[in-house]
Amino acid sequence: MPVPAFLRVLWAALWLALSSGLAVAQAPGARDIETALDKLAADSFGDTEAAIALIARSGVAAGVAILEALGDRRLFFVAGDTAVFYKDAAGRSFNARSGVATDIPASASSVRLNNRLRGQVQAALGSMTLLSPDPAQRLKAAETVVKSRDASALPTIDAALAQEKDDGIRRALEDARAVLTLSSTAAPEPQRIAAAQRLAANSDNESLSLLRQMAGEARGGLKDTLDRGIAAIEGRQKLQLAAQTVWFGISLGSVLLLAAIGLAITFGVMGVINMAHGEMVMLGAYVTFLVQEGFRAKAPHLIDWSLPLAIPLAFLATALVGIAIERGVIRFLYGRPLETLLATFGISLILQQAIRSWFGPTNLSVASPSFMTGAFNVMGLQVTYGRLWIVVFTLVIFALLLVILKATPLGLQMRAVTQNRRMASAMGIRTRFVDMMTFGLGSGIAGMAGVALSQIDNVSPNLGQSYIIDSFMVVVFGGVGNLWGTLFAAFTLGIANKGLEPFAGAVLAKIAILVLLILFIQKRPRGLFALKGRAVDQ
Amino acid sequence: MAFTRRSILGAAAGGATVLASGIRPASAQAGPVKIGILHSLSGTLAISETTLKDVMLMLIEEQNKKGGVLGRKLEAVVVDPASNWPLFAEKARELISKEKVAATFGCWTSVSRKSVLPVFKELNSVLFYPVQYEGEESERNVFYTGAAPNQQAIPAVDYLMSKDGGEAKRWVLAGTDYVYPRTTNKILEAYLLAKGVAKDDIMINYTPFGHSDWQTIVADIKKFGSAGKKTAVVSTINGDANVPFYKELANAGVKATDIPVVAFSVGEEELAGIDTTNLVGHLAAWNYFQSIKSPINDAFIKQWKEFTKNPKRVTNDPMEAHFIGFNMWVKAVEKVKSFDADKVIDALPGIEAPNLTGGISRMLPNHHITKPVFIGEVRKDGQFDIVWQTKDLVAGDAWSKHLDGSKDLIGDWVDKKCGNFNVKTSKCGA
């Protein structure tokens, strides 16, 4: 396919811009860029707006780098001077006028933007990069053009469509053309109707938003098409909404399960009312923070590995703290639940205040690794990677725990000790040692939960407090001493909570769940899946 | 222990001054003058309040270097009300009756302020309250150095309605479920309705303290924003719930160019716990930002970093409020040459003190102060860019002009000697 003349001009301009500063001054549109840079150096919103329009009009490829730098706040100026500099995405700095690599003076500050200007930068970039050789950039351009709703980009879209081979980008371009045609009141009605029909086949919020907006002013045939389209999208969204609620419920359930699963061991299996459980979660989150800081200092390029590495470290650290608590306090209090409750509550306060004195009371920032940021769409349902990983992580831990309990000697001893302590002791099991290991295991799992929770909640000394009530709720509802019950209870509570929230609001939903739970416990005091047999009486 | 030792040293220093100058102290008890600091150092609010305790210690230390006030050193008395409302009242009583403090700087939430109010009235002492709040109050013993709604919420909404702010037509008012967000949202709703926004275009949502699962609400906001009109979110979400809220916003791809969020309780300190890369462009309204360039602000930031020995520590709006409040108190004491509460209370209205953004704030007869209003945009480094600001300082209204119950009320402790004077009926007391 022959390269269109327009594109050749762009390439020529880019080449010229890079080859010498003098050449830029003579290239077509370069005067616009010069004026635009003068205006950008003034750093006032009015001037910046004019500069964006100038650069978009110039069509000069050097303008793309300047606009990208402006949008990313990598464009710098020195007060009282006309010099303008920018950094590219890799951090190298250039003089914006000559394109020559140079250092940026320390007194330079970056050109400010506001949301309106940011939108204009995106729109200008969109129409300027529609013909870029990089497919990812073309796709991004097609998506930003949609947001600009600037009908003047239509000819460029047609030119881009004519040579686009990638199906995904073609679809995005056609969507963009439909959006621009529909939103331009000057376009002929049959074209607008066709565009409305195309958009009605999508089920995203943006299309719905545009259809609704246009339905307000439209007349006749167009109005009918728009109304039908809105009804169609709304119908599909109802289904999506149900799916979304279930997904949110699963995601909330997995967080509840994660927080409760360690407690299912210490409270469920051992019968220790451990009020310091939440603080184990908190300690796990702080271990994550320390590991990440270590990576930041020693190996910043491996930062994505900090989270996987933090998992075993958090387990070890909190398991050791758990064992210390068991050895130091809890073993003297077995069979005295009230004293245990008070003692562990005291420990939880001590741990909180210790962390507060050590790390300070403020939230610490734990960055999300790149594989946990962003979202993807499954049939119009938006799933965020962070939440998905947490669900997977929870299920893996649950499976591992089952394996430990059912298939290892320690698990066998644990079950033996919980079912009949004296008989187990008579069979030669060191029950004191098993108690210690069990408590360590439960605490370690809470620490691993902290690694995951550092991704969605505050890393602050109070992190644990917000989960302790929910954890007890899940374990009691599921039936003490039953891991499957805990799993089932966590997901039931999660989905019920999310199902109620849209109607009742977050506050009432939480209250309703608690009331339902109290009623349920009245009916079945031992929870959903109660242990049966003689173990119950112990 | 430390305080005992410090008070002995302070007393010695005070005695030395007296001997050197050869004048007998005006007040009966010589020695240092005590200043109460009533901020939670443990519990959920420690995250915000510990900083304010530190800034007060810094200001007092600085004042002592200049020779104290009226020739007497100041001594900080720090108590910890542990984020517990009844304990706030107990500790306030301890500060006033046992420690005999000359003034108290403290409280964060409105609940804590309301719980100490009766104590300050009964024992007649002075409280400086440094946090933006819902207004609808003007008490003789309290000086409100934070923003009233007309110094933060209303200008923020005006900005979002303007061309630069994106001409928002549809509004989500999201808040934590307690008195400050509920009252602020009531004022904002009345204001928006008066501005011609349809009732259907306002969505109000409340969440419990420490809410951590924002999936449903963020999805609702996205859905509400798809009605074909520019939508903006006004957030009065407070405390720990902000981090998960912003994380969910970033994950769900709610960009500031589509649906901007303007927050009233999120400043530099709160952003320190969040990765802001995906939040660039979301807004906050305050009377102070660390990024504002002025000689006095640069000096303050430098002093703060040296005092805390941490070059990463940030400054924020309530810290500035304490800075202004403390300097006003010093000036008032020097004006009447007495630490007596009644004299200081009468002297404070009209006192002027510099704020950190280059202006001069004045204490008004309603015990609120004049402040500039700034709208800042979140940057990648967790600081803010100023995108809009008021031309002049805005006088704080104790009573909102937009609510039926309070539009005729004013607070005036100079002429009327009344916190809720009704200008229609010319009577004190609503």
Side-chain angles (χ1 to χ4, degrees):
Chain A
M1 181 177 263
V3 180
F6 176 57
L7 198 59
R8 252 180 312 196
V9 172
L10 280 184
W11 279 115
L14 181 65
W15 184 80
L16 278 171
L18 289 174
S19 57
S20 84
L22 198 71
V24 170
Q26 289 151 1
R31 188 176 295 278
D32 283 345
I33 299 272
E34 283 292 318
T35 331
L37 286 174
D38 289 343
K39 287 185 180 297
L40 285 172
D43 189 33
S44 86
F45 290 144
D47 285 333
T48 307
E49 184 176 10
I52 296 167
L54 274 174
I55 296 175
R57 197 183 69 186
S58 76
V60 174
V64 174
I66 296 173
L67 281 183
E68 275 177 347
L70 176 63
D72 267 356
R73 302 288 313 266
R74 290 185 270 108
L75 192 73
F76 300 87
F77 73 102
V78 180
D81 194 12
T82 55
V84 180
F85 307 91
Y86 69 88
K87 278 188 190 163
D88 64 6
R92 286 168 302 188
S93 45
F94 299 91
N95 184 324
R97 285 183 199 275
S98 59
V100 176
T102 172
D103 284 335
I104 296 177
S107 58
S109 41
S110 69
V111 179
R112 291 171 314 145
L113 276 186
N114 62 23
N115 284 324
R116 190 164 62 95
L117 295 180
R118 205 167 275 121
Q120 288 174 2
V121 169
Q122 279 168 9
L125 269 179
S127 53
M128 285 176 87
T129 52
L130 269 174
L131 301 167
S132 153
D134 175 9
Q137 203 167 28
R138 289 204 300 276
L139 185 63
K140 209 175 131 203
E143 281 159 4
T144 47
V145 166
V146 171
K147 284 193 181 142
S148 76
R149 298 197 185 160
D150 175 9
S152 65
L154 267 176
T156 329
I157 291 186
D158 287 332
L161 262 176
Q163 53 164 316
E164 187 58 64
K165 292 210 180 70
D166 184 302
D167 277 347
I169 303 178
R170 276 195 81 84
R171 227 174 297 133
L173 283 170
E174 272 163 10
D175 273 347
R177 189 165 66 169
V179 168
L180 296 189
T181 318
L182 180 60
S183 56
S184 136
T185 37
E189 186 159 313
Q191 274 186 30
R192 292 183 77 193
I193 291 182
Q197 278 162 347
R198 182 180 169 85
L199 289 178
N202 295 348
S203 35
D204 58 322
N205 280 332
E206 281 76 22
S207 304
L208 181 62
S209 170
L210 179 67
L211 291 185
R212 280 194 184 141
Q213 193 184 346
M214 289 301 139
E217 311 144 18
R219 298 274 169 275
L222 180 61
K223 170 97 179 148
D224 293 341
T225 321
L226 286 172
D227 286 343
R228 269 200 308 277
I230 293 171
I233 295 182
E234 280 176 346
R236 277 196 301 274
Q237 281 199 338
K238 271 206 189 95
L239 253 177
Q240 264 176 29
L241 199 69
Q244 181 178 283
T245 306
V246 172
W247 165 247
F248 285 170
I250 290 175
S251 152
L252 175 63
S254 71
V255 171
L256 289 175
L257 178 60
L258 204 52
I261 200 166
L263 197 73
I265 304 276
T266 52
F267 176 56
V269 178
M270 295 176 73
V272 173
I273 298 181
N274 179 15
M275 296 300 283
H277 173 74
E279 277 55 49
M280 298 295 141
V281 176
M282 185 257 298
L283 287 182
Y286 274 87
V287 170
T288 318
F289 168 77
L290 287 179
V291 171
Q292 205 170 63
E293 285 301 294
F295 268 86
R296 238 184 259 280
K298 300 276 178 223
H301 54 288
L302 295 175
I303 195 103
D304 276 1
W305 288 96
S306 61
L307 221 53
L309 189 75
I311 295 171
L313 287 179
F315 178 84
L316 280 179
T318 49
L320 286 177
V321 174
I323 287 173
I325 294 175
E326 203 273 344
R327 288 285 88 182
V329 180
I330 293 175
R331 73 176 163 134
F332 303 112
L333 300 172
Y334 282 123
R336 286 147 66 188
L338 276 182
E339 280 99 323
T340 321
L341 188 144
L342 289 177
T344 50
F345 185 59
I347 292 172
S348 88
L349 293 180
I350 292 171
L351 286 175
Q352 269 180 45
Q353 203 58 31
I355 290 287
R356 195 171 282 131
S357 317
W358 213 326
F359 291 91
T362 43
N363 287 330
L364 297 177
S365 162
V366 174
S368 300
S370 56
F371 57 86
M372 282 184 82
T373 47
F376 62 95
N377 274 306
V378 195
M379 314 207 312
L381 174 70
Q382 197 182 40
V383 178
T384 51
Y385 282 109
R387 296 276 176 179
L388 184 66
W389 275 110
I390 288 176
V391 173
V392 171
F393 179 66
T394 310
L395 293 178
V396 168
I397 288 193
F398 185 80
L400 274 177
L401 194 60
L402 275 186
V403 171
I404 289 176
L405 280 183
K406 299 268 148 122
T408 64
L410 178 70
L412 186 67
Q413 292 178 353
M414 268 184 212
R415 283 183 293 143
V417 171
T418 31
Q419 278 170 21
N420 193 328
R421 177 174 295 266
R422 279 155 80 191
M423 180 62 88
S425 173
M427 301 293 287
I429 295 175
R430 289 186 294 158
T431 54
R432 284 299 166 108
F433 176 77
V434 172
D435 283 340
M436 184 182 87
M437 293 310 282
T438 316
F439 199 83
L441 178 69
S443 305
I445 288 173
M448 292 202 284
V451 178
L453 292 182
S454 74
Q455 290 301 310
I456 50 170
D457 210 333
N458 294 287
V459 181
S460 75
N462 306 321
L463 171 68
Q465 277 183 329
S466 40
Y467 289 97
I468 185 79
I469 306 270
D470 286 342
S471 305
F472 272 106
M473 206 165 80
V474 167
V475 174
V476 171
F477 179 51
V480 172
N482 189 324
L483 275 187
W484 285 103
T486 309
L487 176 89
F488 190 78
F491 285 114
T492 312
L493 288 177
I495 294 174
N497 202 335
K498 284 293 153 186
L500 281 172
E501 208 175 290
F503 312 105
V507 183
L508 271 181
K510 191 128 203 182
I511 296 173
I513 290 286
L514 277 171
V515 170
L516 287 177
L517 201 66
I518 292 169
L519 292 178
F520 178 84
I521 296 291
Q522 295 296 318
K523 195 84 190 144
R524 293 190 64 140
R526 289 182 189 280
L528 273 178
F529 301 95
L531 287 181
K532 293 193 176 67
R534 281 199 289 173
V536 175
D537 302 325
Q538 295 246 321
Chain B
M1 275 307 276
F3 285 116
T4 342
R5 198 179 305 142
R6 195 179 295 173
S7 49
I8 295 167
L9 283 176
T17 329
V18 171
L19 281 179
S21 55
I23 310 165
R24 284 193 56 197
S27 116
Q29 339 97 305
V33 173
K34 290 181 177 176
I35 303 287
I37 301 178
L38 184 62
H39 283 300
S40 304
L41 310 178
S42 53
T44 49
L45 292 170
I47 176 174
S48 313
E49 291 193 70
T50 312
T51 319
L52 292 180
K53 182 256 308 177
D54 290 339
V55 82
M56 280 312 299
L57 292 180
M58 177 179 92
L59 291 170
I60 290 171
E61 189 188 285
E62 188 69 7
Q63 189 65 35
N64 282 340
K65 276 189 204 154
K66 290 188 223 157
V69 182
L70 299 184
R72 289 172 71 181
K73 293 277 177 201
L74 301 179
E75 181 196 321
V77 182
V78 181
V79 289
D80 177 15
S83 313
N84 174 342
W85 320 139
L87 200 56
F88 265 94
E90 258 173 60
K91 291 287 175 186
R93 189 171 288 279
E94 180 189 321
L95 282 176
I96 305 169
S97 344
K98 201 171 130 232
E99 302 284 352
K100 308 261 184 267
V101 296
T104 304
F105 292 78
C107 297
W108 182 273
T109 57
S110 291
V111 199
S112 62
R113 189 189 68 251
K114 297 262 187 210
S115 101
V116 301
L117 248 180
V119 179
F120 277 88
K121 273 177 159 170
E122 181 199 324
L123 304 173
N124 194 27
S125 188
V126 185
L127 171 70
F128 283 85
Y129 176 66
V131 187
Q132 91 284 8
Y133 83 120
E134 68 279 3
E136 308 299 290
E137 187 181 297
S138 174
E139 291 288 342
R140 181 168 179 273
N141 299 86
V142 185
F143 292 87
Y144 309 81
T145 49
N150 73 314
Q151 290 172 310
Q152 189 186 28
I154 301 279
V157 166
D158 281 339
Y159 172 74
L160 287 171
M161 282 182 176
S162 75
K163 199 167 155 234
D164 267 336
E167 298 173 278
K169 300 274 188 293
R170 230 165 128 81
W171 300 84
V172 180
L173 309 180
T176 303
D177 204 359
Y178 77 107
V179 56
Y180 163 66
R182 284 211 176 243
T183 315
T184 306
N185 285 344
K186 213 160 78 186
I187 295 171
L188 285 181
E189 191 186 6
Y191 183 70
L192 288 172
L193 291 175
K195 284 269 174 182
V197 176
K199 192 121 192 157
D200 290 344
D201 286 338
I202 303 175
M203 166 176 145
I204 300 183
N205 181 292
Y206 291 106
T207 40
F209 262 108
H211 192 64
S212 62
D213 192 292
W214 290 91
Q215 301 178 89
T216 310
I217 289 156
V218 168
D220 279 354
I221 290 174
K222 279 177 99 169
K223 195 161 179 283
F224 188 77
S226 69
K229 290 181 189 168
K230 178 75 183 178
T231 305
V233 180
V234 177
S235 154
T236 38
I237 298 163
N238 216 300
D240 281 359
N242 273 306
V243 174
F245 174 61
Y246 278 104
K247 281 188 178 170
E248 191 67 42
L249 275 182
N251 278 335
V254 177
K255 289 265 182 322
T257 37
D258 307 331
I259 303 180
V261 178
V262 60
F264 300 154
S265 303
V266 175
E268 292 85 349
E269 190 88 26
E270 285 75 15
L271 284 188
I274 320 179
D275 178 12
T276 54
T277 319
N278 292 317
L279 298 174
V280 169
H282 286 305
L283 305 157
W286 287 107
N287 309 106
Y288 166 83
F289 285 103
Q290 184 180 347
S291 63
I292 290 173
K293 291 263 176 282
S294 79
I296 185 171
N297 191 25
D298 293 345
F300 181 77
I301 295 168
K302 187 162 163 268
Q303 190 190 356
W304 173 242
K305 286 181 175 171
E306 276 166 13
F307 180 80
T308 55
K309 298 188 185 64
N310 181 352
K312 281 189 189 161
R313 279 299 280 269
V314 294
T315 56
N316 66 14
D317 181 280
M319 286 170 64
E320 192 223 15
H322 262 342
F323 173 84
I324 301 171
F326 180 74
N327 285 331
M328 284 180 166
W329 176 80
V330 169
K331 284 193 174 174
V333 168
E334 281 170 347
K335 187 177 161 196
V336 294
K337 302 205 168 33
S338 161
F339 294 99
D340 179 64
D342 281 326
K343 288 184 185 160
V344 172
I345 288 172
D346 287 340
L348 266 164
I351 293 279
E352 292 187 337
N355 54 42
L356 290 176
T357 51
I360 304 285
S361 288
R362 189 161 45 87
M363 180 59 75
L364 301 165
N366 62 8
H367 288 191
H368 292 61
I369 67 173
T370 59
K371 297 182 139 218
V373 186
F374 299 92
I375 309 280
E377 228 187 48
V378 177
R379 283 198 316 226
K380 268 185 196 162
D381 63 355
Q383 287 286 333
F384 291 86
D385 263 335
I386 312 305
V387 292
W388 182 86
Q389 70 187 79
T390 48
K391 284 195 193 69
D392 302 309
L393 302 194
V394 180
D397 284 340
W399 302 93
S400 172
K401 294 189 174 70
H402 306 287
L403 287 183
D404 281 340
S406 72
K407 62 182 174 206
D408 299 326
L409 297 180
I410 57 161
D412 185 346
W413 291 102
V414 175
D415 296 332
K416 316 274 191 230
K417 305 278 176 211
C418 174
N420 51 356
F421 186 82
N422 192 318
V423 286
K424 273 223 173 117
T425 59
S426 289
K427 267 189 215 143
C428 186

